[in-house]
Amino acid sequence: MKRSVRIVPPEAFGDLKLTPPKEKAAGIPAITSSLRHVQEEMGVIAGLRALNRMNQKGGFDCPGCAWPDPDGKRSALGEYCENGAKAISEEATNKRVTPAFFAKRTVEELSEQTDYWIGKQGRITHPMYLAADSSRYVPISWDEAFEKIATKIKSLNTPDEACFYTSGRTSNEAAFLYQLFARQVGTNNLPDCSNMCHESSGKGLAETVGIGKGSVTLQDLHQAELIIVMGQNPGTNHPRMLTALAKCKENGGTVVSVNPIPEAGTNTFVDPQSPLSMLKGGAQITDLFLQVRINGDVALLKAAMFLLLEKERANPGSVFDQEFIKQNTTGYQAFIDNLGNTNFSEAVAASGVPEKQIREFAGLLAEKKKIIICWAMGLTQHENGVDNIREIVNLLLLKGSIGRPGSGTCPVRGHSNVQGDRTMGIWEAPPEAFLDSIDKNFSITAPRNHGYDVVDSIKAMDEGKIKLFVAMGGNFISATPDSEFTGKAMQNCDLTVQISTKLNRSHLVTGKEALILPCISRSEKDQQASGDQIVSVENSMGIVHSSKGSLTPASEHLMSEPAIVARLAEVLFGNSPVNWGEMTKNYDTIRNHIEATIPGFDDYNRRVRQPAGFYLPNGARKGKFNTKSGKAVFTINKIPDNKIADGHFILMTIRTHDQFNTTIYGMDDRYRGILNERRVLLMNKDDIREQQLKPLDIVHLTSIYKGVERHAHNFKLVEYDIAKGCVATYFPEANVLVPIDSVAKKSNTPASKFVVVRVEKR
Ligand SMILES: Nc1nc2c(c(=O)[nH]1)N[C@H]1C(S)=C(S)[C@@H](COP(=O)(O)OP(=O)(O)OC[C@H]3O[C@@H](n4cnc5c(=O)[nH]c(N)nc54)[C@H](O)[C@@H]3O)O[C@H]1N2
Ligand SMILES: Nc1nc2c(c(=O)[nH]1)N[C@H]1C(S)=C(S)[C@@H](COP(=O)(O)OP(=O)(O)OC[C@H]3O[C@@H](n4cnc5c(=O)[nH]c(N)nc54)[C@H](O)[C@@H]3O)O[C@H]1N2
Ligand code: SF4
Ligand SMILES: [Mo]
């Protein structure tokens, strides 16, 4: 039975209210907003008790972003931000989705609701099953659920008909078991949210500096002379990064922001953890704001480096670190020859930034030595996303700004353990050495052929090549591109299984049969045979530390993520050669296996219990580049051709201040001054006039890619300070416009920051 569920969220309007965009981030409004969310979901007392444990040594890790906690003393006023408070309120909510909830509603009915409504219903309490001939989930026992999955796996023609997705909140312990399970099944089909996120960073960095992770620590940020924040909105998505930027400024550093819109947090930051900052009215963060056109970053960097090269040629050794370049890099001459041929005025025009500001930027680059570049989705989610990262590396190499204190690469990760999941082997293209190690430690033979990443999984589903889809967290349907295409592809699967805490669209747009396996969350007590367990996570700076939940689980019927994987594996494989039954009695056993399999985890069980955890080895941080040549590599990257037809715009799909990816916390984008409405299109004043539109007009969007059109209707036009020719709206409502084939070369990351659209008045 094909259910007629809604794949794309309904086009319902809220009651839009506009206020001037905020000049200041955090401060009192952030505290008020945190408390409101805590109160609504958990009650004030329980909420504050939970917040007191969050990000403290021995407490639980914030389920929000991957920003690190300080190594040393932690603030008694709380080591969290507004969005951390929202994240915990959302997962520790008092509301419940019970079997009675499902008995009252079909999946079709549920799918007509907004994502906001769906997410707000509360925590799922029981394992649930959706039969092939039904539209209503009914309760199922854990044993029956595992039996169904095991039976399906046994029936596959090849293990590659199974696909195991992971979202980045999963702990190291759960992730390690999950990938091991997939490999014992016999597939490397392990797509993860990273494929849509920092995959371009991983690819670009591994190739040039020999490690697919960032090189800096928090200390480095504090010590840097110049920090460049590119394609990132830290005030909303990594709020405590502002504390680090403020420290850098206190120490005399300079901050440059590169963005098509001026984002609040990078203007002024009022540290809610610092009474002094509150009194003073906050610190100015950005010294120089460069309003690039969407995907104008390579052009900007090239233009700036061209100016540096002129200075260097006039006065050799004055700008570039020639000694560093000679000792540590390859490809310099070819890079310089190419850079010298840059058409400067064309590069300036392509960047969209006025020449005067580019000269100012180049002036800063010329005089500073300790430089850090931070970035996020504004650089990775482009067809040339990998080139963006390689160009950043070029600049840092010219300046000798990597592998030294106060300098280096800083890709700011999204989900709290997305980096750890990859370290644990959640990877569709695992290195041979990793698989050898798995084989040796567990006496299995892991498959060697690479599996599907996110985009390839969707295409495989479309072609009927995937029969079983399992998701360890996340919301695959809403997070992926080309929603209609993806939704139909997912419906081709025989069985889809979601291991989840809360309800989302992926529970409604399913395969023929579907299961929901509800799990405990990070903040909750994880009790196993040997007592309360800890799990561990790796943050954006490669620090592995423990996380211990303290709240009572949302329901007595929940299982932990590691226990779900181990139980399923035991049902399918028994306890030989992998002793799955032993695995979850005490998670120390899992960590011992991780230690035996993955480099850098020596003495894991002891070190993870150190109050601030431990740093994983990182060659680039120490100036050791683990590339083929043993040196860092200059690369040549073309300025992308971003010309689009007249009357078209480049659309970026971004996050509001009130959401975590597909989880909608509320309807306000407070810093941007857009309240009570998510269906908005941000457009520049001149463009509105030239298009003969008016602010608050209702418009329809059509994306055009290789002759195919995709539609999203009903957005209110908001006049906004955004680069000319560019427009913005929110993810996930706009994912229906992102073409499945528009992906970054090499990383296959959907280009969700570069969608060519037409804007038409309703
Ligand atoms: N509160 C909260 N925190 C989060 C998340 C969340 O949804 N909510 N999500 C988490 C996850 S998984 C991730 S990956 C991160 C995402 O963190 P961000 O990458 O900060 O998130 P986005 O909203 O996608 O913002 C991208 C930024 O890049 C800019 N931009 C877009 N295109 C370009 C471009 O071509 N060039 C330049 N220079 N800038 C551009 C946009 O204007 C915007 O400021 O945040 C993590 N933290
Ligand atoms: N257009 C567009 N699309 C994008 C992006 C964009 O910028 N623009 N960003 C991309 C990025 S960077 C990312 S990372 C992806 C995110 O993709 P996903 O990681 O797949 O999506 P999330 O919205 O983070 O997943 C939220 C769901 O996770 C489940 N969950 C929450 N906590 C837990 C837990 O502790 N355990 C388990 N098992 N489940 C839990 C809940 O059911 C919740 O509904 O989206 C990508 N999609
Ligand atoms: S910065 Fe990120 S990890 Fe830290 S408290 Fe805020 S949301 Fe949580
Ligand atoms: Mo992400």
Side-chain angles (χ1 to χ4, degrees):
M1 158 177 155
K2 195 123 190 174
R3 303 175 193 93
S4 50
V5 283
R6 179 178 260 285
I7 298 164
V8 181
E11 293 169 4
F13 278 131
D15 185 12
L16 173 65
K17 199 172 146 238
L18 295 174
T19 62
K22 297 286 170 286
E23 292 285 324
K24 293 183 182 178
I28 300 279
I31 298 180
T32 321
S33 163
S34 312
L35 287 176
R36 186 165 42 82
H37 278 86
V38 164
Q39 189 216 334
E40 278 170 15
E41 301 288 344
M42 313 169 66
V44 174
I45 294 175
L48 289 179
R49 202 177 295 140
L51 282 170
N52 270 337
R53 303 288 302 147
M54 191 158 88
N55 293 339
Q56 296 294 343
K57 293 172 179 171
F60 63 89
D61 183 54
C62 171
C65 76
W67 191 254
D69 307 307
D71 286 339
K73 201 165 155 277
R74 308 258 160 111
S75 168
L77 283 171
E79 279 295 347
Y80 56 85
C81 68
E82 174 189 355
N83 276 324
K86 289 182 192 167
I88 183 68
S89 311
E90 194 74 21
E91 82 166 40
T93 176
N94 293 329
K95 303 184 189 116
R96 297 289 178 266
V97 168
T98 60
F101 171 94
F102 287 110
K104 280 192 223 127
R105 302 162 177 94
T106 64
V107 287
E108 285 93 344
E109 284 161 4
L110 286 167
S111 75
E112 293 298 325
Q113 299 287 351
T114 62
D115 290 353
Y116 175 61
W117 185 93
I118 293 171
K120 285 288 174 200
Q121 299 312 302
R123 288 283 299 277
I124 305 165
T125 57
H126 289 69
M128 302 297 297
Y129 171 61
L130 183 65
D133 56 356
S134 170
S135 279
R136 246 176 255 269
Y137 274 102
V138 293
I140 185 173
S141 73
W142 281 102
D143 283 345
E144 278 176 288
F146 291 135
E147 207 49 68
K148 277 199 190 299
I149 305 170
T151 307
K152 183 84 247 164
I153 292 175
K154 284 184 208 148
S155 79
L156 299 176
N157 295 312
T158 126
D160 288 328
E161 287 181 343
C163 182
F164 299 94
Y165 175 69
T166 311
S167 166
R169 202 171 276 186
T170 302
S171 66
N172 281 354
E173 289 74 7
F176 183 77
L177 293 191
Y178 190 54
Q179 63 80 31
L180 178 62
F181 174 69
R183 289 178 172 125
Q184 196 177 2
V185 168
T187 183
N188 283 316
N189 288 343
L190 283 156
D192 74 332
C193 68
S194 192
N195 299 145
M196 300 180 268
C197 185
H198 267 295
E199 197 70 58
S200 302
S201 308
K203 282 279 183 317
L205 290 172
E207 175 194 343
T208 53
V209 296
I211 180 166
K213 304 180 182 182
S215 74
V216 301
T217 64
L218 265 184
Q219 198 57 31
D220 289 320
L221 283 160
H222 301 163
Q223 292 172 11
E225 291 171 344
L226 175 62
I227 299 181
I228 308 166
V229 181
M230 298 186 81
Q232 195 201 345
N233 179 17
T236 285
N237 296 314
H238 306 91
R240 283 192 314 150
M241 178 173 163
L242 300 185
T243 312
L245 295 177
K247 278 229 172 86
C248 166
K249 300 273 319 212
E250 270 168 45
N251 295 338
T254 302
V255 175
V256 175
S257 303
V258 182
N259 204 303
I261 48 186
E263 301 282 25
T266 32
N267 289 330
T268 305
F269 166 55
V270 188
D271 186 350
Q273 267 105 23
S274 157
L276 189 62
S277 163
M278 294 278 232
L279 277 177
K280 286 197 303 195
Q284 164 86 25
I285 301 272
T286 299
D287 298 281
L288 177 63
F289 169 56
L290 304 176
Q291 190 161 30
V292 277
R293 197 160 286 157
I294 293 177
N295 204 22
D297 302 272
V298 168
L300 170 72
L301 292 169
K302 275 236 187 300
M305 287 191 285
F306 181 83
L307 295 174
L308 293 182
L309 178 60
E310 278 184 340
K311 280 196 199 188
E312 174 72 13
R313 282 188 170 151
N315 192 356
S318 65
V319 180
F320 295 168
D321 188 332
Q322 293 294 352
E323 189 52 32
F324 175 90
I325 293 170
K326 205 160 94 203
Q327 295 296 329
N328 297 292
T329 71
T330 62
Y332 173 69
Q333 199 51 50
F335 171 74
I336 287 298
D337 292 346
N338 181 274
L339 182 63
N341 288 330
T342 303
N343 181 327
F344 179 69
S345 53
E346 271 179 29
V348 172
S351 74
V353 180
E355 181 178 331
K356 186 167 161 285
Q357 289 185 0
I358 299 184
R359 290 193 179 273
E360 204 181 323
F361 180 41
L364 287 171
L365 290 168
E367 78 194 29
K368 313 283 184 194
K369 283 203 176 349
K370 295 184 194 167
I371 303 172
I372 292 177
I373 306 184
C374 304
W375 71 89
M377 298 304 101
L379 293 196
T380 60
Q381 296 174 335
H382 286 289
E383 291 195 359
N384 58 313
V386 177
D387 280 2
N388 282 339
I389 310 319
R390 301 194 328 165
E391 203 64 3
I392 283 177
V393 171
N394 285 337
L395 172 56
L396 294 173
L397 294 180
L398 287 178
K399 297 293 297 178
S401 282
I402 182 162
R404 290 174 171 173
S407 49
T409 54
C410 185
V412 185
R413 298 277 164 175
H415 267 296
S416 51
N417 197 38
V418 61
Q419 187 158 314
D421 290 347
R422 186 52 69 81
T423 308
M424 290 299 113
I426 302 291
W427 198 352
E428 78 287 351
E432 197 67 23
F434 177 86
L435 297 175
D436 290 345
S437 190
I438 289 279
D439 287 358
K440 193 160 144 254
N441 192 42
F442 293 102
S443 308
I444 64 169
T445 307
R448 290 322 199 246
N449 54 323
H450 288 177
Y452 299 128
D453 62 9
V454 164
V455 165
D456 288 343
S457 304
I458 299 168
K459 291 183 174 171
M461 286 177 199
D462 173 60
E463 291 163 17
K465 291 184 187 156
I466 292 179
K467 305 279 186 238
L468 168 70
F469 175 81
V470 183
M472 178 60 85
N475 181 2
F476 194 86
I477 287 292
S478 299
T480 47
D482 222 339
S483 315
E484 291 284 4
F485 178 78
T486 299
K488 294 204 177 87
M490 181 66 78
Q491 289 170 317
N492 280 342
C493 297
D494 290 344
L495 173 63
T496 53
V497 182
Q498 301 283 334
I499 301 168
S500 313
T501 49
K502 296 193 74 177
L503 195 64
N504 62 46
R505 204 161 287 279
S506 298
H507 302 107
L508 311 175
V509 181
T510 63
K512 295 175 188 83
E513 289 177 277
L515 284 164
I516 303 176
L517 306 182
C519 63
I520 62 166
S521 71
R522 179 93 54 84
S523 49
E524 291 168 346
K525 261 195 210 118
D526 184 348
Q527 268 177 334
Q528 303 296 338
S530 68
D532 287 351
Q533 305 297 312
I534 57 166
V535 293
S536 47
V537 291
E538 174 184 344
N539 62 35
S540 204
M541 292 179 181
I543 305 165
V544 178
H545 64 89
S546 70
S547 174
K548 184 169 187 190
S550 48
L551 308 180
T552 307
S555 143
E556 60 188 359
H557 306 287
L558 307 183
M559 278 176 80
S560 76
E561 293 176 352
I564 291 173
V565 178
R567 245 333 262 149
L568 169 61
E570 205 180 353
V571 170
L572 185 63
F573 298 118
N575 283 312
S576 171
V578 181
N579 193 341
W580 290 100
E582 274 302 308
M583 219 53 103
T584 53
K585 286 186 184 149
N586 183 339
Y587 293 177
D588 282 0
T589 311
I590 309 177
R591 283 184 288 269
N592 285 335
H593 282 298
I594 295 173
E595 178 175 341
T597 320
I598 304 174
F601 286 85
D602 312 272
D603 208 5
Y604 193 4
N605 273 311
R606 185 186 63 77
R607 289 198 299 158
V608 79
R609 289 180 166 85
Q610 294 172 165
F614 61 94
Y615 279 90
L616 284 176
N618 186 315
R621 180 175 294 160
K622 301 247 173 322
K624 294 233 167 336
F625 302 108
N626 296 321
T627 56
K628 274 194 208 118
S629 61
K631 295 192 170 191
V633 183
F634 278 100
T635 55
I636 296 175
N637 308 297
K638 279 217 303 263
I639 296 178
D641 177 8
N642 291 331
K643 277 187 214 71
I644 52 172
D646 271 357
H648 289 60
F649 290 86
I650 306 171
L651 169 77
M652 57 179 184
T653 57
I654 55 179
R655 294 158 169 78
T656 72
H657 193 63
D658 238 0
Q659 70 183 86
F660 193 92
N661 300 337
T662 69
T663 301
I664 314 300
Y665 296 144
M667 300 303 283
D668 295 345
D669 198 1
R670 200 176 76 240
Y671 289 169
R672 298 194 185 107
I674 300 167
L675 308 179
N676 243 323
E677 182 60 271
R678 291 183 52 84
R679 289 193 89 80
V680 291
L681 184 74
L682 280 52
M683 191 188 264
N684 172 303
K685 193 161 130 197
D686 296 337
D687 286 329
I688 294 184
R689 191 174 23 89
E690 284 166 27
Q691 293 299 303
Q692 291 167 356
L693 294 165
K694 286 192 307 303
L696 302 185
D697 273 353
I698 293 173
V699 295
H700 297 324
L701 301 178
T702 303
S703 73
I704 307 104
Y705 185 80
K706 296 198 170 153
V708 180
E709 299 198 337
R710 294 169 173 82
H711 306 277
H713 297 128
N714 298 321
F715 292 82
K716 285 186 191 154
L717 197 61
V718 171
E719 182 183 310
Y720 206 83
D721 183 5
I722 179 169
K724 192 150 188 325
C726 303
V727 289
T729 187
Y730 303 137
F731 143 60
E733 285 82 349
N735 285 35
V736 63
L737 297 171
V738 183
I740 189 80
D741 287 321
S742 175
V743 291
K745 284 180 217 83
K746 295 192 200 161
S747 69
N748 220 21
T749 295
S752 31
K753 296 290 187 274
F754 196 105
V755 186
V756 178
V757 294
R758 233 175 25 232
V759 179
E760 279 144 334
K761 193 169 167 178
R762 181 169 77 173

